[in-house]
Amino acid sequence: MAKPYDLRHYPGFLGVTLLCLLILYAPLGVVAVYSFNGSQSITIWEGFSLRWYVDVFTGPESAKFKQAAWNSFIIAIAAATIATSIATLAATAVLRAGKFRMRTLSIGLISLPLMVPEIVTAVATLIFFNAIAFERGLMTILLAHIAFCIPFAYMPISARMQGIEASYEQAAMDLYATRRQAFTRILLPLMMPGIVSGFILAFIISLDDFIITNFVKGAGVETLPTAIFGAVKQGIKPNIMAISTMLLAVSIVMVTLSWLIGRKDQKNLIQQRKKK
Amino acid sequence: MPQNTEIAIDVRDAVKRYGPFTALKKISLSIHDNEFFTLLGPSGCGKTTLLRMIAGFEDVTEGAIFLYGEGIDALPPHKRPINTVFQNYALFPHMSVLENVGFGLEMLGKSKAEARARAGEALEMVQLSQFATRMPSQLSGGQQQRVALARALAPRPKVLLLDEPLSALDLKLRKAMQVELKHLQRETGITFIFVTHDQEEALTMSDRIAVMSAGELQQLGEARDIYERPRNVFVADFIGETNLMEVTVDAINGGRAQCHLGGGHKLTCDAVEGITPGAKVHMSLRPERLFLSVEPVENESLTGRVREMIYIGTDTATIVDLDGGPQFTVRSSNSSRGNARTFEPGTEVAVNMEHGAGRLLVD
Ligand SMILES: Nc1ncnc2c1ncn2[C@@H]1O[C@H](COP(=O)(O)OP(=O)(O)O)[C@@H](O)[C@H]1O
Ligand SMILES: [Mg+2]
């Protein structure tokens, strides 16, 4: 039975959809395909080969890229972990501490960085580090990443927490759990899917950040995005495509993971609600 | 109230205000040990608020609450030996049925083995032993409800609070659970404070009922008291079906009040305190305490015409327009020994009152 307002019946629906998909994914597809190209060329296909992947790990630039990748992953894991912890506590305070003064202000302050142009944050962060004479290096990158990852981690966590009725924690306290026990035994496990999503989002955001990183990194310290940018300035070689494709694969895996966790959990909750 | 009954929960002059809004206006009531006590009232009258104050989730703005003689207002919820069956059950979705039921015992510091054993016993009490390893999402609504009950009973609280626990169940299941709850209360000897907006449920289950409206206690008593001797218009109207008539009191003689309705119909019923001759008050006449006849049975019956007869299974309701006065509903039983008779609409009939059918209401 066709629904009366089925989107698919709008004229041009198919065309617009295909156009959007093409614009979004064609460049990614080209990069992914040409990373397996057998030749130096980035436009002419000369047969399948893994030479550029081998090049990334063993070629003349491999040491540089390995160091950059290592920095990127260390920073992404540390920044995502710390930002997620802070975001979890912030969400608990905002959503579970009742109505306190400046509650609305707090929510605003947490999400505002999402709307500030990144270049502004980058300049401001740089000025801040200069002002307090903090030597630039891995540490400045990490601190900056923690700061801008917090709102990204906060969003899925607070969305998740809003869906958890306060009655679960009340039931726990009614059953002799202290506030702390109600948090660790009930609220935290129920929030876990949101926390995992927040962590993954923060991880990806940190992993691919370029603008802020470029401003606050010290001389000679590189992350993958800044290293790639540096390499591209000397001309695009297919090894860049191989690195990009690997980064893309990491992102896809992470996002899929997050989606799978969210879906399984959603199913459970919906099932239980339906019964009532 | 017998002098030797112990008081489980004593609410003294409790007031609850949310900002400028007063949710509870000076409520005082004593709930006896081992009693099935019901808070009954329409939605929004403050039942949940009072329950949450007893559980410790809301503080008492004024007044005090005592548990077996000890003030508990300073105690947080987890220090009160009182458990709650929440309206939405609030089963922990990430724990199995057995873990849910054992949670309270575990928090009380019992060993894992003891918690499991006693949780198992509690599950047996509600006949859910075979579901111990299931997750709450794999249970039906009725089963979830019983898990919530087992979870609240497992730590053997001194008082169990139940906030409209049956309202989400369908009628048949609800009736079955009413019987089961009553049975569990007797078996465990735990004081139950049960909240409902369903007057029939309250009448069936309770030892005593507190009728509330708009944050005030309207009447407290046994089911029969409240049904047969309602104190005011609200209670008479809220509990069961009734004919509420405005009457004028003509005279009071020997404990009987002689009154008349609009249209000049005369009625006599027991006098109540606070009513004097000349007063215009309400009288409640329960439909099942009235009966119809073709000829007046006593010199006091009311006369009118049948408007409509409605068949409702066990009973028949007959709506009668009194001559020059208001409308009346009369209920008669359809059993073979009952008094249901068929009257064509428009038939002239007399409405007769059983002794004690009429009840004067103070306000
Ligand atoms: N946290 C609150 N803040 C303000 N008003 C409240 C709050 N909780 C309850 N109320 C009000 O108190 C009144 C009684 O509520 P409640 O106890 O839930 O009623 P019931 O359980 O009898 O339906 C309602 O008018 C409700 O709007
Ligand atoms: Mg309520």
Side-chain angles (χ1 to χ4, degrees), chain B residues 11 14-18 21-25 27 39 44-61 65 80 87 161 163 195 212 215:
Chain B
V11 180
V15 175
K16 178 70 195 178
R17 275 192 282 270
Y18 292 110
F21 175 72
T22 307
L24 290 179
K25 301 164 191 161
I27 297 264
L39 293 172
C45 73
K47 308 179 296 290
T48 298
T49 304
L50 182 55
L51 218 57
R52 288 172 59 82
M53 280 158 64
I54 296 172
F57 294 117
E58 301 283 352
D59 44 58
V60 184
T61 314
I65 298 176
R80 303 185 184 197
Q87 191 165 6
L161 309 177
D163 192 355
V195 162
M212 293 173 62

Side-chain angles (χ1 to χ4, degrees), chain A residues 31 34-37 39-43 51-53 55-56 59-62 64-65 228-245:
Chain A
V31 166
Y34 275 86
S35 71
F36 295 103
N37 196 354
S39 88
Q40 275 279 359
S41 167
I42 57 166
T43 46
R51 65 179 275 208
W52 297 113
Y53 287 87
D55 183 79
V56 167
E61 292 176 307
S62 67
K64 191 177 93 186
F65 281 127
I228 292 173
F229 183 72
V232 167
K233 276 198 290 196
Q234 275 118 52
I236 302 176
K237 281 202 317 180
N239 64 345
I240 298 299
M241 291 185 172
I243 294 178
S244 302
T245 306

Side-chain angles (χ1 to χ4, degrees), chain A residues 165 167-179 181-182 185-187 189-190 267-269 271-273 275-276, chain B residues 52 57 77-78 80-84 86 88 90-95 104 106-108 136-137 139-141 144 151 155:
Chain A
E165 293 160 49
S167 61
Y168 292 124
E169 293 140 86
Q170 286 178 358
M173 288 192 273
D174 191 67
L175 292 162
Y176 315 107
T178 60
R179 223 169 233 289
Q181 285 169 321
R185 295 289 306 269
I186 308 298
L187 189 58
L190 291 180
K267 259 196 200 156
N268 275 343
L269 273 188
Q271 254 178 18
Q272 193 172 341
R273 293 229 173 100
K275 300 270 173 59
K276 290 183 213 154
Chain B
R52 288 172 59 82
F57 294 117
H78 71 270
R80 303 185 184 197
I82 298 173
N83 290 343
T84 308
F86 288 81
N88 61 357
L91 296 179
F92 307 133
H94 58 301
M95 294 185 189
E106 204 186 312
M107 291 297 114
L108 281 174
S137 59
L139 300 180
S140 73
Q144 290 183 9
R151 185 177 69 173

Side-chain angles (χ1 to χ4, degrees), chain B residues 13 21 35 38 60 76 93 121 133 147 149-150 172 179 188 212 218 235 262 271 281 283 304 311 331:
Chain B
D13 299 324
F21 175 72
E35 180 173 41
T38 298
V60 184
E121 284 168 30
T133 54
V147 174
L149 193 60
K172 225 180 172 112
V179 175
T188 57
M212 293 173 62
Q218 300 294 332
V235 176
V281 290
M283 184 187 282
Y311 176 77
R331 249 183 198 251

